[in-house]
Amino acid sequence: MTIIEMAREMGKLIQESDEYKALMEARTASDNDEELQKQIGEFNLVRMKMEIESSKPEPDQDKVNALNEQLMSIYTSVMESENMVAFNKAKDVVDHLMNHVTAILTAAVNGEDPATYDPDAACTGDCC
């Protein structure tokens, strides 16, 4: 089996993992959450308005500030949404898994034994 074939097999195994399945379920729940999608659309619209106003030769700073406050309010609401919280937690778990995989592969390329290399033991900072 070639390295590329092994990478493809690893990709398949990742997609079969509980972590990945939980991420896909959380993504689907977020995508199907009409209120959340409405808020995301509103966020994008306000962001565009703010970018347009900010890029004017003489932007109305009061309008920019008001749009920025509105943007932050919508952002907070989106990020506190139950489905977005669940999605972000599931994404963090998959990101952690992928960081471990990458760390093991990188260690192997640097001469470490991939069978015994422990990314958690090698962590010297914030390895979340």
Side-chain angles (χ1 to χ4, degrees):
M1 182 178 281
T2 69
I3 293 171
I4 300 301
E5 290 170 333
M6 291 178 109
R8 293 183 193 285
E9 184 63 26
M10 185 184 304
K12 181 179 167 187
L13 292 172
I14 289 168
Q15 289 179 335
E16 293 172 356
S17 72
D18 291 339
E19 296 89 347
Y20 180 83
K21 289 176 184 175
L23 176 61
M24 292 301 99
E25 287 175 18
R27 176 178 288 164
T28 299
S30 290
D31 289 348
N32 292 333
D33 184 332
E34 290 181 24
E35 180 61 28
L36 177 60
Q37 292 307 311
K38 178 182 166 196
Q39 289 176 329
I40 291 170
E42 185 180 353
F43 176 87
N44 290 328
L45 182 61
V46 172
R47 185 182 65 198
M48 284 189 294
K49 287 179 182 179
M50 190 170 85
E51 288 172 359
I52 290 168
E53 185 63 38
S54 296
S55 67
K56 290 180 178 178
E58 293 185 31
D60 179 341
Q61 198 56 45
D62 289 337
K63 189 172 184 180
V64 171
N65 291 341
L67 288 167
N68 188 49
E69 285 181 32
Q70 186 180 5
L71 195 65
M72 296 311 297
S73 175
I74 297 167
Y75 177 81
T76 298
S77 181
V78 165
M79 296 311 288
E80 291 176 351
S81 162
E82 180 181 337
N83 283 323
M84 185 58 76
V85 169
F87 172 79
N88 284 327
K89 284 181 182 178
K91 186 176 180 317
D92 287 346
V93 170
V94 171
D95 287 347
H96 184 73
L97 171 66
M98 294 310 300
N99 287 338
H100 269 70
V101 169
T102 302
I104 291 168
L105 294 174
T106 300
V109 169
N110 290 324
E112 299 281 340
D113 180 359
T116 60
Y117 181 78
D118 181 0
D120 289 327
C123 181
T124 58
D126 182 13
C127 293
C128 298

